[in-house]
Amino acid sequence: MRRTQRMVALTTALAAVTAPLLAIASPAAAEPAKTTASQSVQNLPLDLISLDALTGTQLTQRVKQLLGKGYVPEALSVSNAANPQYTSVWIKDTTRKVNVLQGLSATNLQKTISDQVKAGLQPAMITGTGVGAEAVFAAVFEKTTAQVKSQLSLTAEAFAKVSAEMSASGYAISSLDVYGTAERPLYAAVWVAGAATGSVQVTLGQTVEQRGQELLAKAKQGLQPVAMAVEPGKLYTTVWSKGNATGLKEYLNLSRLTYKLQATKMEVLGYVPTSLDTEGGVFASIWAKASS
């Protein structure tokens, strides 16, 4: 799940140079022999740090360290409710005040949101995985004067309806994730007022092949993906709207290994993630050229 409200890394562009940039990657033939939690950290010219496969305890430790050094999360995704693992991307920005909480249950997530709002922090990102009482969530809260609304446990039909209503009211989606099951996916989303860029379209339950075709079709309509999430069952939900970021590169159906390799490459080339999500061993990401 990726925070999408900042325009430097919020939206994706339809093309770079002269053609749409779509790259659909297949999972790696083999994963590393060890499956224990590991992390990939790059201190690059963009001041990006990528962390992957962290346990909740490891994430808590890294959050304390990174916040203390002026880093804030640009993306956060949790997968595998039975043994939660956290993937995140951080960027140096000392102007923002944030709080990152993990290991939340479905029952205390809403209370946590209420408590954070009372403390002056609004939800900026919500990510979840799992089903029912076993579902696990993490969230990023940020101090902001913007009007923010969040919704949890939305069905596919409810999410599409709420997205249209929010867009009509001038709210733009800034966070999206899908959890639950393939038969009954549930949606968690955050919207921010004042950033809407026209009508919003939502596509749900698409395979990787359908999603690739959709990108090309939406590009012809002048639309781009402003939020994307991997659903249970290796399907994709995407929110499409107008946008103004440049240099879109999109990678779907990545394995953990191929995601790490691709993320390193994109960061070196000066790209920042506009969307990042992982579910069921599948990683998907969209990158845009960072503002100079």
Side-chain angles (χ1 to χ4, degrees), residues 22 24-25 182 187 203-216 228-238 240 250-254 282 284:
L22 171 64
I24 301 176
Y187 295 75
T203 53
L204 310 170
Q206 292 186 316
T207 65
V208 66
E209 293 81 7
Q210 292 170 332
R211 178 58 178 70
Q213 294 170 359
E214 193 74 45
L215 176 66
L216 300 178
M228 179 181 69
V230 183
E231 299 181 25
K234 300 182 179 180
L235 301 175
Y236 295 83
T237 285
T238 311
W240 308 86
E250 178 175 86
Y251 300 91
L252 310 180
N253 203 32
L254 298 170
V282 174

Side-chain angles (χ1 to χ4, degrees), residues 25 44 60 66 81-82 104 116 124 127 152 208 231 289:
L44 300 168
T60 299
L66 291 171
L104 302 170
Q116 290 293 302
T127 176
L152 310 172
V208 66
E231 299 181 25
K289 197 72 174 180

Side-chain angles (χ1 to χ4, degrees), residues 5-14 197 222 224 226 241-247 288-289 291:
Q5 73 188 69
R6 296 176 62 218
M7 288 300 107
V8 64
L10 276 203
T11 53
T12 55
L14 299 174
T197 55
Q224 59 188 244
V226 295
S241 186
K242 303 280 185 184
N244 63 0
T246 59
K289 197 72 174 180
S291 300

Side-chain angles (χ1 to χ4, degrees), residues 123-167:
M125 286 182 254
I126 299 174
T127 176
T129 186
V131 182
E134 304 303 317
V136 176
F137 298 87
V140 177
F141 299 90
E142 182 167 354
K143 187 174 183 179
T144 176
T145 57
Q147 295 181 1
V148 178
K149 294 184 179 181
S150 62
Q151 294 274 355
L152 310 172
S153 301
L154 294 172
T155 64
E157 295 77 10
F159 172 68
K161 182 175 182 291
V162 171
S163 292
E165 293 172 347
M166 290 290 187
S167 177

